[in-house]
């Protein structure tokens, strides 16, 4: 059987098993998602007040509202939380067990990621629906399914990009004892540069070029911008091209680092 | 009780009166603090890391404020300097919460699901006091100091010169904020008696409290009511800063104290109710 098909079957089995296991904690997912949506709502209210107060923002109320209503969904859909777990599995030798199995340890993380997001989407969907309804007068709804399709593709690419960066940092545990500080630093940098805290459109002019082309924009902000507006057809194409280039670039680097790490691994705990 | 067989002799009660009981608990808390300080001296790298992470997170929290005031010079009567003062006040109160309350309430799930509460109930101490205040993270006090520095800078930049009465009012309101937030978070954590796991509820608290970074008037009217009476983070930041600016009288202070007393009473009742439903997890 070809490797891709076999891996796909293993992934499907593991994802289904993970969903069944994780659904035991469905109450916890609902509460987690309620927590997740709090900060975007706070930011939304503050920035709307600023606009109503006459602040000369470079974006309008529609953009701000759509941005923050969609933000928690995109942040959830593109998130990854594996760095610490992957580093622990390498450091404590759990990787050894996976090396004799007919699937990669990383496939386990992919199934965990997909299954949790599946359940989180069920919890978060209705909350975003309510928020959308409350602010419906200020929401920007793209005409036609085209933009939504591009949005969906961009969210998937962003999720792959975040996951790949996670593998890259987690895999450093092959050579470093503790990658926690590095992971924390990356989280802090990413929270500002991805647009999770403040829309990147509100960043100062002097930072414009850097902010537009740095990789973290393509992990959260860019997919949201596709719906929230402000991107012309050519901006969209260039953006998708850059996003794809980052996915491929980081993918190649992560694959090389992972392969080098596997070769350097001395089977701790085996 | 006459049918109860006991081999222990008669003993004098541990506390002569209510005041003595409070004094004993205060002495106990001083021991917890001393022990926490000694423990911290063993983990100096932890202290430095907490300090650095606190500073970076504070910087991160202030970015939206700085960007916001890049587009306007004032918002609903608040200038940039006043909002920075508020950010300092918020940092002080949340730093105190992180030092004295968070290390305890974060353990609530394990207290209840792993049977650690059983051992606490056997000790001659108020179990609610013990579960809420036993552990102290001294390193978090560094964030209180940084908050104080930012508060002073904000006050200097805004040209405010609070008189002693206003300082007392601000202190009283910030204390009310601390007590009210502790009560709300405790109540959320005590739901563990019925829900078993309250980790996710803690994350709701930590996300909601972020609203305290902004003045109350920045929010729509219904949300202001929520942030004053239901999740009273306004007492931890907006009201104390308004008091320092001389914009508040004694009425809000009285209201805050009244609200704190009501909240503490409700939390006490919730704790007692929960304790009655507790069936032990270890035996």
């Amino acid at each position: 059987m070809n490797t891709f098909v076999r891996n796909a079957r293993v992934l499907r089995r593991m994802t289904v098993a993970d969903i069944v296991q994780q659904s035991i904690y469905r109450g916890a997912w609902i509460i987690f998602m309620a927590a997740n949506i709090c900060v975007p709502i706070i930011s939304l209210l503050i920035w709307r007040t600023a606009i109503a107060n006459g602040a000369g923002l470079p974006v309008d109320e529609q953009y701000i509202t759509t941005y923050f209503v969609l933000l928690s969904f995109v942040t959830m859909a593109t998130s990854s939380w594996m760095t610490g777990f992957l580093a622990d599995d390498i450091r404590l030798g759990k990787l050894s067990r996976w090396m004799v199995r007919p699937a990669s340890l990383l496939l386990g993380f992919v199934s965990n990621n997909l299954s949790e997001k599946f359940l989180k989407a069920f919890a978060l969907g209705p909350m975003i629906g309510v928020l959308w309804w409350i602010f419906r007068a200020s929401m920007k709804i793209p005409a036609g399914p085209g933009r939504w399709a591009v949005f969906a593709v961009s969210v998937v690419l962003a999720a792959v990009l975040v996951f790949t960066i996670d593998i890259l940092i987690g895999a450093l545990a092959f050579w470093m004892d503790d990658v926690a500080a590095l992971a924390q630093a990356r989280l802090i940098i990413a929270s500002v540069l991805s647009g999770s805290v403040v829309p990147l459109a509100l960043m100062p002019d002097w930072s414009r070029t850097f902010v537009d082309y740095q990789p973290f924009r393509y992990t959260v902000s860019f997919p949201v911008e596709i719906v929230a507006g402000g991107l012309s057809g050519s901006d969209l194409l260039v953006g998708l091209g850059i996003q794809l280039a980052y996915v491929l670039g980081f993918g190649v680097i992560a694959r090389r680092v992972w392969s080098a790490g596997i070769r350097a691994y001395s089977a701790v705990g085996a | 009780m006459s049918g109860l067989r006991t081999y222990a002799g008669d003993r004098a009660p541990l506390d002569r009166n209510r005041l003595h009981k409070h004094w004993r608990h205060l002495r106990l808390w001083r021991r917890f603090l001393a022990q926490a300080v000694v423990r911290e001296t063993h983990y100096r790298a932890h202290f430095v890391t907490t300090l650095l992470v606190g500073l970076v997170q504070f910087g991160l929290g202030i970015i939206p404020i700085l960007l916001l005031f890049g587009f306007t010079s004032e918002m609903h009567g608040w200038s940039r300097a006043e909002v920075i003062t508020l950010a300092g006040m918020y940092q002080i109160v949340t730093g105190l919460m992180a030092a004295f309350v968070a290390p305890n309430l974060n353990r609530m799930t394990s207290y209840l699901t792993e049977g650690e509460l059983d051992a606490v109930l056997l000790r001659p101490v108020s179990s609610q006091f013990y579960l809420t205040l036993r552990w102290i993270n001294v390193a978090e006090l560094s964030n209180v100091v940084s908050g104080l520095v930012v508060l002073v800078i904000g006050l200097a930049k805004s040209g405010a010169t609070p008189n002693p009465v206003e300082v007392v009012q601000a202190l009283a309101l910030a204390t009310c904020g601390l007590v009210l937030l502790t009560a709300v978070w405790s109540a959320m954590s005590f739901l563990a008696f019925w829900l078993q796991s309250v980790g996710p509820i803690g994350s709701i608290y930590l996300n909601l409290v972020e609203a305290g970074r902004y003045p109350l008037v920045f929010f729509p009217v219904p949300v202001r009511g929520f942030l004053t009476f239901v999740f009273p983070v306004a007492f931890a930041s907006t009201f104390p800063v308004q008091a320092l600016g001389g914009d508040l009288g004694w009425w809000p202070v009285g209201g805050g104290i009244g609200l704190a007393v009501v909240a503490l009473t409700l939390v006490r009742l919730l704790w007692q109710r929960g304790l009655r439903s507790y069936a032990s997890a270890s035996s």
Side-chain angles (χ1 to χ4, degrees):
Chain A
M1 200 191 304
N2 122 10
T3 318
F4 178 78
V5 175
R6 185 168 51 79
N7 276 326
R9 281 182 57 183
V10 171
L11 179 63
R12 186 174 64 84
R13 286 287 180 96
M14 287 203 297
T15 307
V16 171
D18 272 348
I19 289 174
V20 173
Q21 193 190 354
Q22 297 291 343
S23 61
I24 297 168
Y25 308 108
R26 52 194 176 277
W29 292 127
I30 294 172
I31 300 171
F32 261 133
M33 289 303 99
N36 194 33
I37 208 167
C38 285
V39 174
I41 293 176
I42 292 168
S43 304
L44 169 63
L45 297 175
I46 295 298
W47 287 101
R48 277 174 67 94
T49 305
I51 291 171
N53 202 50
L57 265 55
V59 289
D60 59 10
E61 191 187 61
Q62 264 199 332
Y63 182 94
I64 287 289
T65 310
T66 313
Y67 190 96
F68 281 113
V69 169
L70 281 184
L71 183 63
S72 46
F73 172 76
V74 175
T75 312
M76 181 282 288
T78 62
S79 62
S80 171
W81 46 91
M82 66 177 286
T83 309
F85 295 106
L86 177 61
D88 278 354
D89 286 356
I90 294 168
R91 195 168 49 85
L92 303 173
K94 199 177 161 190
L95 175 60
S96 306
R97 277 188 271 154
W98 279 89
M99 290 176 84
V100 292
R101 288 178 187 174
S104 166
L105 167 70
L106 297 178
L107 216 54
F109 282 112
V110 175
S111 79
N112 172 266
N113 189 289
L114 292 177
S115 59
E116 286 198 16
K117 283 178 183 171
F118 178 79
L119 292 166
K120 285 174 181 174
F122 274 104
L124 192 59
M127 295 180 206
I128 291 182
V130 171
L131 208 57
W132 191 303
W133 186 80
I134 293 172
F135 293 104
R136 62 192 178 284
S138 312
M139 287 296 291
K140 188 183 184 106
I141 303 168
R147 282 252 162 177
W148 286 111
V150 177
F151 169 72
V153 169
S154 183
V155 167
V156 172
L157 285 176
V160 175
L161 181 56
V162 176
F163 195 80
T164 313
I165 295 173
D166 258 22
I167 294 176
L168 195 57
I169 295 174
L172 293 178
F174 281 117
W175 300 277
M176 293 164 69
D177 281 339
D178 189 6
V179 296
L182 202 62
Q184 178 78 13
R186 173 255 169 144
L187 274 183
I188 290 171
I189 294 168
S191 66
V192 176
L193 293 182
S194 69
S196 305
V197 176
V198 181
L200 297 181
L202 301 177
M203 290 291 181
D205 287 340
W206 54 263
S207 66
R208 204 61 282 150
T209 312
F210 168 71
V211 164
D212 282 350
Y213 294 105
Q214 47 83 26
F216 293 110
R217 177 185 173 214
Y218 299 90
T219 61
V220 175
S221 179
F222 181 67
V224 184
E225 287 170 38
I226 292 173
V227 178
L231 291 182
S232 65
S234 60
D235 288 342
L236 213 61
L237 276 179
V238 171
L240 275 176
I242 295 174
Q243 194 179 29
L244 191 63
Y246 272 130
V247 169
L248 293 174
F250 275 102
V252 168
I253 298 170
R255 183 163 173 81
R256 293 214 164 167
V257 170
W258 180 256
S259 303
I262 292 281
R263 282 196 298 278
Y265 181 59
S266 53
V268 185
Chain B
M1 292 297 283
S2 58
L4 186 71
R5 280 182 66 185
T6 172
Y7 296 98
D10 288 340
R11 293 184 184 184
L14 205 54
D15 301 306
R16 286 187 299 277
N17 52 42
R18 219 175 168 74
L19 191 68
H20 185 265
K21 189 178 177 183
H22 290 312
W23 178 243
R24 184 166 61 83
H25 279 81
L26 192 67
R27 277 203 337 237
L28 196 59
W29 186 81
R30 258 180 25 211
R31 288 286 182 94
F32 295 158
L33 183 63
Q35 188 199 39
V37 171
V38 171
R39 195 173 48 240
E40 202 59 48
T41 58
H42 290 232
Y43 302 105
R44 286 183 287 274
H46 170 251
F47 185 88
V48 176
T49 312
T50 310
L51 173 69
L52 289 176
V53 169
L55 285 175
V56 171
Q57 281 177 339
F58 179 70
L60 204 63
I62 217 163
I63 284 177
I65 296 167
L66 296 178
L67 284 174
L68 186 67
F69 281 94
F71 300 110
T72 181
S73 56
E74 68 87 36
M75 216 165 115
H76 283 295
W78 286 73
S79 66
R80 173 163 44 189
E82 285 165 338
V83 179
I84 287 175
T85 311
L86 184 138
M89 183 62 80
Y90 172 84
Q91 176 87 343
I92 292 171
V93 176
T94 51
L96 288 170
M97 294 283 291
F100 298 112
V101 183
N104 302 281
L105 296 182
N106 285 336
R107 292 166 198 240
M108 203 53 72
T109 300
S110 69
Y111 269 126
L112 270 83
T113 55
E114 289 169 25
E116 289 171 31
L117 178 58
D118 294 10
V120 177
L121 291 171
L122 293 172
R123 293 176 191 173
V125 62
S126 155
S127 47
Q128 188 188 354
F129 161 83
Y130 190 93
L131 257 66
T132 315
L133 297 168
R134 165 65 185 91
W135 298 101
I136 297 164
N137 187 352
V138 178
E140 290 287 351
L141 291 176
S142 58
N143 293 322
V144 178
V145 176
S146 62
L148 206 57
V149 172
V150 173
L151 178 88
V152 172
I153 293 172
L155 281 175
K157 279 193 173 290
S158 65
T161 46
N163 61 39
V165 174
E166 288 159 359
V167 172
V168 169
Q169 284 174 344
L171 271 176
L173 282 162
T175 309
C176 288
L178 194 63
V179 171
L180 283 164
L181 287 179
T182 306
V184 170
W185 197 2
S186 297
M188 289 165 98
S189 301
F190 294 164
L191 292 178
F193 279 115
W194 297 277
L195 300 177
Q196 309 308 325
S197 171
V198 287
I201 291 182
S203 66
I204 287 213
Y205 166 83
L206 290 172
N207 281 284
L208 264 184
V209 84
E210 292 283 319
R213 290 185 187 279
Y214 305 96
L216 200 58
V217 285
F218 283 19
F219 293 95
V221 175
V223 180
R224 290 181 208 167
F226 176 79
L227 295 176
T228 306
F229 298 106
V230 182
F231 192 85
V233 70
F235 283 94
S237 55
T238 301
F239 296 155
V241 173
Q242 281 182 318
L244 285 177
D247 299 334
L248 291 182
W250 285 103
W251 276 110
V253 178
I257 293 170
L259 212 57
V261 170
V262 171
L264 284 179
T265 311
L266 289 176
V267 168
R268 182 73 189 155
L269 290 174
L270 184 71
W271 170 259
Q272 287 169 344
R273 185 83 191 259
L275 216 48
R276 276 203 296 278
S277 71
Y278 179 64
S280 171
S282 64
S283 50

